Amino acid sequence: MTDKTPTRAPFTRRAALATLGATGASLAVPGLLPGLGGTAQAQSGDPIKIGFQVHRTGIGAAYGRWYDRTSQAAVARINDMGGINGRPVELVSEDDGTDPKRGAEVLEKFANQSNCDVAFGTLFSHVVIGSAPRAAELKLPYFVVSEGHHVASGMLNRYTLQPGITDVKSQVIAMAPFVGDNLGKKVTMMFADFAFGHDHRDFFSEAIKEQGGKVIKMIAIPPTETSFTKYFPQIPQETEVLYHVMVGPAVLTFVKEMGEFFGPSRPEIFGYIDSLEAVSIDSPGLEFLEGTYFWEGNPRYAQTDQTEFDKAFREAVGVDDSGASITDPADVSTYAHMFGCWETLNVIKAGMEACNYQGPEDRQALIEAVEAMTEMPASMDHPQGDKLFNGKTHQVFGVQYISKVEDGMLKVVHTTSIEDGFYPDEVDYTTQPF
Amino acid sequence: MLASLEGAVTAATLALTAMGLSLVFGVMRVVNVAHGEFYMLGAVIAWFVSTTLGTHPAIGFVGALIVAPVLVGLLAAAADRLILARINYDPERTIVATIGLLYILQQSTLMTFGPDARPVEPPFNSRIALPWWRQGENGLEMFYPWGLATTSYKLFIIVAAVAILIGLWVLLTRTRIGLVMRATQADREMATAFGIPVERVYAMVFGLGAGLAALGAVLIVPVQQAHYLMGADPLLLSFIVVIIGGLGSLPGTIIAALLIGMSDGIISVFFSPTLAKILATLVVAMVLVFRPQGLLGKASA
Amino acid sequence: MTAATRDAALHLGVLTLLAGLWFVLPTYHSGNLARIMVLAVYAMGYNLLFGYTGLLSLGHALFFAAGMYGLAIAMQQGGWSAAPGFLAGLIAALVVSGVAGALALRTTGVAFMIVTLMFAQAGYLTVLYFGAITRGDEGFVIPQAARSLAGIDLTTPANRYFAALILFGAVFLGLAWLVRSPFGRTLIAIRENEARAKMLGYDTHAYKLRAVILSGTISGASGAAYALLFGYAGATFATVQYSIFPLLWVLLGGAGTTIGPLIGAIFMFYLIDLASGVTDAYMLIAGVVLVLLTLFAPQGLAGTLRNRVWPWLP
């Protein structure tokens, strides 16, 4: 097992004595005081600790597993290159159960018990939003890899940043020109009746209007649904493009039943790969996807013009050319999202090096250092592609990929520019006090 | 029309799962919160069987159809002997114990099977399209519109579920086992007095109930996928079906399964889907509020 | 020592201990305890209905969420400050539990469980349906600046801890008094034998309805306090899982004891927190512990204490 729970920081003599004292004083409640972190000051040889909130259980577990593998690989690479400011990096992983309450508790554990320098991780927006207020109160920098619009919308706070993955609003806006120009103007949207789906609904219908197109029907699917055929008849016959974005374990059923519904006479279909993340494209029943289009955050199949960075990234994480685990070809990764963990960890490293981070007292300097970042060119630190970080909104913007299913593989047919996904700033976190 | 066919597929598997719960409830008077997890196990075992056998999907499917219910049934019977029998089927303690069981089963599955949704190939599957007529340039013309289609496998689910339910009915009304079960249900003390090994009957009923849930899952898994969290929805729906149908009333359970399976699809034609779910949930709750004994239950439930 | 002074000594002692713990516990654990006290209020509300009145609800998340959203929406959309926001949460929970109770109490036993479960499910879906306001599953943040009460910033660890303690103490003492009062004794009589209570001339339906409303409002107070103290409201808290939690806490701690809910909430929290440090499979451990407890401590921890050591435990 590579993801063992962290070993505790070695105690200094003084801290150990203080701890003993505290333990003595609280003998009245035995059993309440496991693993006192104490107040050990970081020494120069001590590792920099990055608290990693991970969806090990709950609905996000499929993502969590790959977020974990990617993060472990990124930290291994950072340590191979000499760590951060000469100190090794240690990933302190805690399961958040894909639950906002547990997520907040885990942040407290990072800040107050395992003495982490920063916190990082997680995909599901409700966990991020439930945790973020605690990050601000604990004054713990919290780097999220969620692709939600919550950071850039101004809902969160100065301690929460998203420097590794483009937010959904930008992704969606960048898709509209391609859909409008190449697939059709009359769009029907089917989306999960979740905040995530609503973001797609609102941002895309806005963006397609600017392309002279129109959303003619929106079908929200209740998140508890397991069978979808009954919703397809609501799709108007004049639909030119069907835009779908679903999440959760029932997504494969959704896509399969969509195929059974349409048969050979289907409109153009454009979907978010979220509908099929961690699911193999050649699963039984998905044959009809041939010729349909997908947004991909990062192309799952190695393309003919693959960059050396993508190649090395795959190798480091242990993913083959079709986006599956090297050891088990049936184990498909969440390739469109997990690069965000890798890139975020490299941003943390760059930020800590820029402000010569020594310990928790430098946390604000770290945030300012990251806020000062702008261009992040494609490199081994940023294998997904070029990025531009907006320090005011704490959000990064990157290129997006649109792939077509050909011969059972996803082939990139269009790469958006970073500018395609721009929208006016909605917040300036740099004006907020720490 | 298509919506009602979909409803029938939902109703068919629901009837099997709910029947399992109803049996357990009727005979043993306990609420099995882990019932949904037995369903989930059925689907997961189906995946294991069909991938290990790995030949034609039909062989794997038939294998799963036999192996999954038997394994799950045995597991449930063991849980009954080890846990439920020891707490003497106290209603509240049973709920906690089965919640514990739910956690155990879910977490074990996560650790072995993993967090991904995994598909199982149906033994056969062809799309059956239905033609439709419209007023075209040359008068009435026939065409195949979107959506007017179903698959042969979905029809098979309905047939299979009906066959299994008939089998169950025969088992309960025409065999000695059924007689013993019904006797235990009617009066536990009396049954004991007549020398019926009540404990063994209980284990058997608990196993049979879980097996039925697993069977429902094996049937549906080629349409949906096996996933370690898939047990929650069937559990809720089965609960509702069992209560609406009237506790322990098997025909009531089937009618309620049809009602729930169909109502969902039909209401969603008129309202936004989430609103439809809210309304359907409230309607069912109101049925219970104003007819607490269920549709076919006896007045003093 | 009379029963009354012994009761008072026990309850005040618990509160004194909790207040004292703030000064000795390290930050992490005092933070946990603040959260546990808020959730213990939820458990105590649940216990009033389940432990003392004998009604098993599977839908208390509805009331918890009503309190949470009552406060959060009033503060976020209405721009209210914390005190009237908290009141809005209480009123929301009061109204919801009044309506749900009046309907659900027409049923008994398992049907009551299912009806409450379905009401809660409808409530959860309603939160999603009004996503424009609630942000559905994602939820929303209550700004740190707004989270202060009478000029006291509730986002500092100490203020949060003592705010949680005050709420907990008020409910704890209130319920301890209530269950010894004629009203509480009637509820217990209903739990033990409703037919007999009815025969003695009690309008049991009215008593049960009052119990549901009180229980729901206390649960709502916990939800509102959670949103206020931890700055977040989300649909997760309206899911079935959050209806099952108070049942577990109460059963573990001891149903029908005043101290049980707190013990259960502490036990469950640290069970998961410690187990998750040892293994990813902490839910497995939690499951095994639940099964073992039902086998060997069926009355819960406090209930077992009452049976074996202190028969006077309230």
Side-chain angles (χ1 to χ4, degrees):
Chain A
M1 257 176 72
T2 50
D3 50 9
K4 267 197 316 225
T5 42
T7 48
R8 228 156 270 130
F11 286 113
T12 62
R13 193 186 157 87
R14 233 178 78 211
L17 285 175
T19 309
L20 277 178
T23 314
S26 49
L27 273 178
V29 275
L32 259 186
L33 299 173
L36 269 173
T39 48
Q41 285 297 305
Q43 306 290 309
S44 56
D46 286 351
I48 284 182
K49 289 186 175 184
I50 298 180
F52 179 32
Q53 257 183 333
V54 48
H55 301 320
R56 284 236 169 82
T57 55
I59 195 80
Y63 280 96
R65 208 160 44 109
W66 282 100
Y67 267 39
D68 197 14
R69 289 183 194 174
T70 310
S71 302
Q72 299 290 351
V75 166
R77 171 173 169 267
I78 290 173
N79 281 332
D80 284 347
M81 297 190 313
I84 298 177
N85 292 335
R87 289 163 61 186
V89 175
E90 181 187 320
L91 209 54
V92 179
S93 309
E94 280 279 348
D95 181 14
D96 59 28
T98 325
D99 177 287
K101 174 173 148 297
R102 186 64 198 154
E105 290 164 9
V106 162
L107 276 199
E108 289 169 15
K109 208 168 183 178
F110 290 150
N112 293 330
Q113 194 182 41
S114 42
N115 293 319
C116 290
D117 294 282
V118 298
F120 144 79
T122 250
L123 175 89
F124 275 64
S125 296
H126 62 304
V127 183
V128 169
I129 299 174
S131 306
R134 296 298 293 133
E137 289 157 27
L138 297 162
K139 304 207 178 297
L140 179 72
Y142 181 34
F143 294 87
V144 302
V145 192
S146 148
E147 77 171 347
H149 180 53
H150 35 57
V151 175
S153 73
M155 184 207 270
L156 302 182
N157 51 63
R158 192 149 187 201
Y159 282 89
T160 310
L161 305 103
Q162 185 153 252
I165 190 165
T166 310
D167 73 330
V168 60
K169 181 168 184 176
S170 172
Q171 292 171 5
V172 168
I173 290 174
M175 293 301 108
F178 179 85
V179 172
D181 292 346
N182 300 293
L183 303 183
K185 304 278 188 202
K186 289 180 183 165
V187 183
T188 292
M189 298 183 75
M190 291 188 90
F191 52 89
D193 205 355
F194 265 164
F196 175 70
H198 297 164
D199 283 346
H200 278 269
R201 176 193 64 194
D202 299 343
F203 301 141
F204 186 79
S205 41
E206 191 71 17
I208 194 77
K209 224 181 275 169
E210 279 173 28
Q211 304 298 322
K214 197 180 164 207
V215 174
I216 53 175
K217 176 93 184 169
M218 304 192 216
I219 304 169
I221 312 279
T224 53
E225 196 53 89
T226 51
S227 146
F228 304 91
T229 307
K230 56 177 170 270
Y231 299 111
F232 295 116
Q234 299 181 20
I235 301 171
Q237 290 282 342
E238 72 260 31
T239 299
E240 291 169 1
V241 187
L242 181 72
Y243 180 112
H244 64 93
V245 51
M246 298 290 293
V247 283
V251 290
L252 186 51
T253 317
F254 171 80
V255 178
K256 230 167 78 172
E257 294 190 339
M258 183 159 70
E260 283 159 9
F261 176 82
F262 283 125
S265 52
R266 61 168 176 81
E268 292 289 356
I269 294 179
F270 176 85
Y272 262 62
I273 197 72
D274 304 61
S275 298
L276 285 178
E277 197 71 315
V279 172
S280 170
I281 296 287
D282 50 24
S283 297
L286 294 190
E287 302 78 13
F288 91 98
L289 282 176
E290 190 71 20
T292 70
Y293 297 85
F294 279 101
W295 164 86
E296 289 195 283
N298 202 14
R300 178 188 295 182
Y301 287 84
Q303 305 294 313
T304 43
D305 59 348
Q306 183 193 28
T307 62
E308 51 175 314
F309 313 126
D310 186 61
K311 198 175 164 109
F313 171 68
R314 279 175 201 267
E315 209 165 283
V317 180
V319 172
D320 65 16
D321 282 350
S322 56
S325 165
I326 295 177
T327 48
D328 177 8
D331 186 3
V332 176
S333 70
T334 59
Y335 203 76
H337 296 88
M338 66 196 204
F339 71 88
C341 291
W342 177 282
E343 298 205 0
T344 303
L345 283 164
N346 289 319
V347 170
I348 295 175
K349 174 178 190 284
M352 285 184 164
E353 283 168 355
C355 73
N356 191 24
Y357 182 91
Q358 294 303 318
E361 64 280 3
D362 295 331
R363 281 173 180 166
Q364 295 179 5
L366 169 63
I367 287 175
E368 284 169 334
V370 177
E371 281 171 349
M373 293 181 182
T374 50
E375 282 175 26
M376 302 170 174
S379 60
M380 219 30 244
D381 285 349
H382 301 279
Q384 184 257 357
D386 291 336
K387 291 207 176 47
L388 191 68
F389 185 72
N390 183 337
K392 288 182 178 169
T393 62
H394 282 192
Q395 177 61 52
V396 83
F397 296 87
V399 299
Q400 308 299 323
Y401 300 94
I402 296 173
S403 303
K404 187 176 183 181
V405 183
E406 286 173 13
D407 306 325
M409 292 198 303
L410 288 155
K411 287 220 173 85
V412 175
V413 290
H414 179 72
T415 306
T416 70
S417 72
I418 298 181
E419 290 74 22
D420 286 345
F422 281 167
Y423 53 85
D425 291 358
E426 294 166 24
V427 65
D428 184 355
Y429 284 116
T430 57
T431 60
Q432 295 181 3
F434 279 105
Chain B
M1 198 218 69
L2 197 71
S4 55
L5 186 69
E6 274 312 300
V9 174
T10 314
T13 47
L14 190 54
L16 286 181
T17 313
M19 197 60 98
L21 197 68
S22 181
L23 258 185
V24 170
F25 195 91
V27 177
M28 302 165 67
R29 299 279 154 200
V30 296
V31 176
N32 176 16
V33 185
H35 195 66
E37 304 316 306
F38 291 132
Y39 175 89
M40 177 274 287
L41 275 185
V44 168
I45 293 173
W47 181 83
F48 273 115
V49 170
S50 62
T51 39
T52 355
L53 288 182
T55 48
H56 189 267
I59 298 171
F61 181 76
V62 173
L65 218 44
I66 300 162
V67 174
V70 169
L71 272 185
V72 173
L74 287 176
L75 181 76
D80 173 80
R81 300 261 33 90
L82 285 175
I83 304 167
L84 299 191
R86 297 200 183 181
I87 56 176
N88 213 13
Y89 304 101
D90 174 88
E92 280 156 18
R93 288 163 70 188
T94 304
I95 290 178
V96 188
T98 49
I99 290 175
L101 203 56
L102 176 152
Y103 286 155
I104 294 172
L105 294 178
Q106 221 173 65
Q107 186 70 44
S108 315
T109 311
L110 175 61
M111 280 159 37
T112 48
F113 175 74
D116 298 327
R118 296 178 196 243
V120 173
E121 210 163 330
F124 50 87
N125 198 15
S126 51
R127 186 173 182 274
I128 304 171
L130 301 174
W132 198 248
W133 288 270
R134 69 178 157 197
Q135 197 67 37
E137 285 148 25
N138 317 317
L140 218 53
E141 61 184 29
M142 199 176 85
F143 76 116
Y144 291 87
W146 297 349
L148 213 54
T150 186
T151 62
S152 52
Y153 183 74
K154 285 188 174 168
L155 295 177
F156 166 77
I157 292 180
I158 300 173
V159 175
V162 170
I164 293 167
L165 288 173
I166 291 174
L168 186 68
W169 181 74
V170 170
L171 176 79
L172 290 179
T173 54
R174 297 279 183 274
T175 64
R176 215 187 98 76
I177 299 176
L179 183 71
V180 166
M181 278 189 203
R182 280 180 297 137
T184 316
Q185 170 170 10
D187 190 331
R188 183 182 172 179
E189 268 90 62
M190 193 66 90
T192 319
F194 275 97
I196 293 176
V198 172
E199 297 209 329
R200 235 180 294 159
V201 174
Y202 274 19
M204 195 177 68
V205 169
F206 202 68
L208 182 62
L212 280 172
L215 207 52
V218 176
L219 283 179
I220 199 73
V221 77
V223 177
Q224 302 182 349
Q225 289 81 41
H227 184 261
Y228 84 107
L229 292 174
M230 71 190 293
D233 270 7
L235 175 69
L236 290 185
L237 284 176
S238 307
F239 257 134
I240 293 162
V241 163
V242 169
I243 300 293
I244 292 280
L247 295 177
S249 156
L250 298 189
T253 304
I254 294 176
I255 293 175
L258 276 173
L259 191 76
I260 303 281
M262 307 294 246
S263 69
D264 216 48
I266 291 166
I267 297 179
S268 67
V269 176
F270 301 106
F271 298 102
S272 100
T274 303
L275 188 59
K277 285 256 175 213
I278 298 174
L279 291 177
T281 311
L282 287 178
V283 165
V284 173
M286 288 307 151
V287 169
L288 265 183
V289 166
F290 293 104
R291 203 181 150 72
Q293 68 273 34
L295 291 179
L296 292 191
K298 294 177 191 71
S300 61
Chain C
M1 210 160 42
T2 68
T5 51
R6 196 163 47 193
D7 271 14
L10 173 79
H11 291 105
L12 292 175
V14 168
L15 291 181
T16 316
L17 178 69
L18 285 172
L21 279 176
W22 164 256
F23 299 98
V24 290
L25 284 184
T27 328
Y28 175 60
H29 295 287
S30 60
N32 290 340
L33 203 54
R35 180 176 270 112
I36 289 170
M37 284 191 286
V38 171
L39 296 174
V41 170
Y42 185 18
M44 286 192 290
Y46 189 84
N47 190 29
L48 176 68
L49 195 62
F50 171 64
Y52 288 100
T53 321
L55 289 170
L56 199 162
S57 146
L58 287 181
H60 258 52
L62 178 65
F63 310 137
F64 186 84
M68 170 174 268
Y69 279 103
L71 173 131
I73 291 175
M75 287 182 72
Q76 185 74 2
Q77 304 281 325
W80 295 18
S81 64
F86 194 75
L87 199 64
L90 288 186
I91 292 172
L94 185 101
V95 171
V96 170
S97 56
V99 174
L103 289 169
L105 281 174
R106 294 180 55 99
T107 63
T108 52
V110 182
F112 181 80
M113 288 165 48
I114 303 300
V115 170
T116 48
L117 178 78
M118 296 189 71
F119 281 153
Q121 186 70 5
Y124 167 65
L125 291 169
T126 306
V127 171
L128 297 185
Y129 183 69
F130 291 103
I133 299 169
T134 62
R135 293 292 299 159
D137 61 305
E138 196 174 279
F140 58 90
V141 162
I142 299 162
Q144 198 171 352
R147 286 157 53 203
S148 66
L149 202 63
I152 301 169
D153 179 4
L154 292 176
T155 64
T156 69
N159 293 351
R160 189 194 341 259
Y161 187 89
F162 285 98
L165 180 62
I166 289 168
L167 176 70
F168 173 82
V171 175
F172 187 58
L173 295 178
L175 284 180
W177 168 79
L178 187 84
V179 298
R180 293 283 199 221
S181 73
F183 177 73
R185 289 180 187 279
T186 314
L187 295 185
I188 296 173
I190 292 174
R191 176 189 74 191
E192 295 303 323
N193 190 336
E194 182 169 355
R196 195 167 57 195
K198 218 179 226 164
M199 224 156 56
L200 290 171
Y202 289 105
D203 180 357
T204 56
H205 184 268
Y207 274 94
K208 287 197 291 186
L209 181 58
R210 270 178 259 163
V212 172
I213 292 176
L214 195 55
S215 165
T217 309
I218 294 173
S219 305
S222 169
Y226 188 92
L228 187 60
L229 296 178
F230 299 98
Y232 172 73
T236 313
F237 294 98
T239 55
V240 184
Q241 206 188 359
Y242 279 80
S243 289
I244 292 179
F245 280 148
L247 172 67
L248 287 183
W249 295 329
V250 166
L251 281 168
L252 284 178
T257 64
T258 50
I259 186 87
L262 175 68
I263 296 182
I266 293 177
F267 183 85
M268 192 75 183
F269 179 88
Y270 276 99
L271 178 67
I272 288 182
D273 196 57
L274 296 183
S276 76
V278 181
T279 161
D280 295 341
Y282 59 88
M283 289 313 279
L284 190 69
I285 298 182
V288 171
V289 169
L290 282 182
V291 170
L292 291 179
L293 269 172
T294 53
L295 285 176
F296 301 110
Q299 304 294 315
L301 299 169
T304 306
L305 277 181
R306 173 153 68 185
N307 286 349
R308 303 233 166 123
V309 196
W310 297 312
W312 49 268
L313 209 64

